[in-house]
Amino acid sequence: MAFRLAPTTASEGFRLEAHDSVGSTNALALEHARTGDPGKLWVVSKKQESGRGRRGRAWATPEGNLAATLLLVPGGELRLAATLGFVAGLALADALDAVVPKGRIAVAVDGASQGRNRFELKWPNDVLAAGAKLAGILLESTMLQGGRFAVAIGIGVNVVAYPRDLPYPATSLQALGADCDAETLFLALSDAWSENARLWDDGRGLNAVRKRWLARAAGLGGEVAVRIDGNVVRGIFETIDEDCRFVIRDDQGSVLTIAAGDVHFGAVASARV
């Protein structure tokens, strides 16, 4: 089966560029933007040679996993476009729900989960299954002529394999017993993206996106530790605010709003991170 767009997505003017292997789908998409691509372009591959995650970390995409980047050239503020990562998380979780039969993957039951969803969203950019990292999302941007900017929304999913040398649990769809390939997942993802982007509505529907995201949030109401520039802040994960920043209440009862950091739940939050 080849990669293809959902009919609804194609009818909205989205385009598809599929590769057997690439260096980085994000890097390729941003290169297209700098040479004049108008956006609404999906760049996808089942193998990535030099993928990257947040803060310059490597992201492995061996043959059979999914690397997908959506290139957009939106109007409005870059600050608002940054919330598209939450749209991407919702779209991926919806797509996974659509293609993985119920009963194949159970909800997580440890401290990293509220036990409500098979696929949960971990702030700011991960998708979890059974409490382990299944997918990551990376937003990157570049400035264009005329004061415009382009955003690359990178989505990497462990379909058939996952890295073993990580400081946190990880998994893949295959390891969880789900018989789904990258092409089938991408087809559902392209459809789910369009639905969630309509909800976002150029930022006007951000509050609705926030509410949907919280309904899938991992660790909500539980103990959390957040590493920020080498320091660790501990408390209870209360919510995300209207700008999708992480909000915790620390041991002294103070409410802290965090724009960026590495989040740890449950037993890991109680230990030194």
Side-chain angles (χ1 to χ4, degrees), residues 106-179:
V107 298
V109 295
D110 62 12
S113 170
Q114 295 298 300
R116 297 165 298 177
N117 299 286
R118 295 184 301 159
F119 303 103
E120 295 188 308
L121 302 177
K122 178 174 176 284
W123 188 90
N125 65 347
D126 293 342
V127 177
L128 307 182
K133 183 169 178 173
L134 176 67
I137 296 164
L138 176 67
L139 267 65
E140 296 183 292
S141 63
T142 188
M143 297 305 298
L144 305 174
Q145 291 183 347
R148 299 178 305 135
F149 62 90
V151 176
I153 306 164
I155 302 171
V157 186
N158 299 330
V159 178
V160 300
Y162 65 93
R164 309 295 177 119
D165 55 346
L166 299 175
Y168 51 81
T171 191
S172 68
L173 289 175
Q174 186 175 94
L176 291 165
D179 184 16

Side-chain angles (χ1 to χ4, degrees), residues 28-172:
L28 185 54
L30 290 172
E31 181 182 333
H32 288 332
R34 296 185 191 103
T35 57
D37 193 284
K40 300 185 79 171
L41 172 69
W42 280 102
V43 180
V44 299
S45 179
K46 291 194 294 183
K47 185 178 181 181
Q48 201 171 218
E49 302 286 352
S50 54
R52 54 186 182 263
R54 292 175 64 232
R55 308 190 181 197
R57 296 164 181 156
W59 178 269
T61 310
E63 180 73 33
N65 281 3
L66 175 63
T69 295
L70 176 58
L71 175 67
L72 297 175
V73 184
E77 302 178 30
L78 184 58
R79 175 192 64 82
L80 189 58
T83 63
L84 284 166
F86 296 86
V87 180
L90 285 171
L92 180 54
D94 288 346
L96 288 163
D97 272 339
V99 300
V100 177
K102 288 181 172 56
R104 290 293 179 90
I105 295 177
V107 298
V109 295
D110 62 12
S113 170
Q114 295 298 300
R116 297 165 298 177
N117 299 286
R118 295 184 301 159
F119 303 103
E120 295 188 308
L121 302 177
K122 178 174 176 284
W123 188 90
N125 65 347
D126 293 342
V127 177
L128 307 182
K133 183 169 178 173
L134 176 67
I137 296 164
L138 176 67
L139 267 65
E140 296 183 292
S141 63
T142 188
M143 297 305 298
L144 305 174
Q145 291 183 347
R148 299 178 305 135
F149 62 90
V151 176
I153 306 164
I155 302 171
V157 186
N158 299 330
V159 178
V160 300
Y162 65 93
R164 309 295 177 119
D165 55 346
L166 299 175
Y168 51 81
T171 191
S172 68

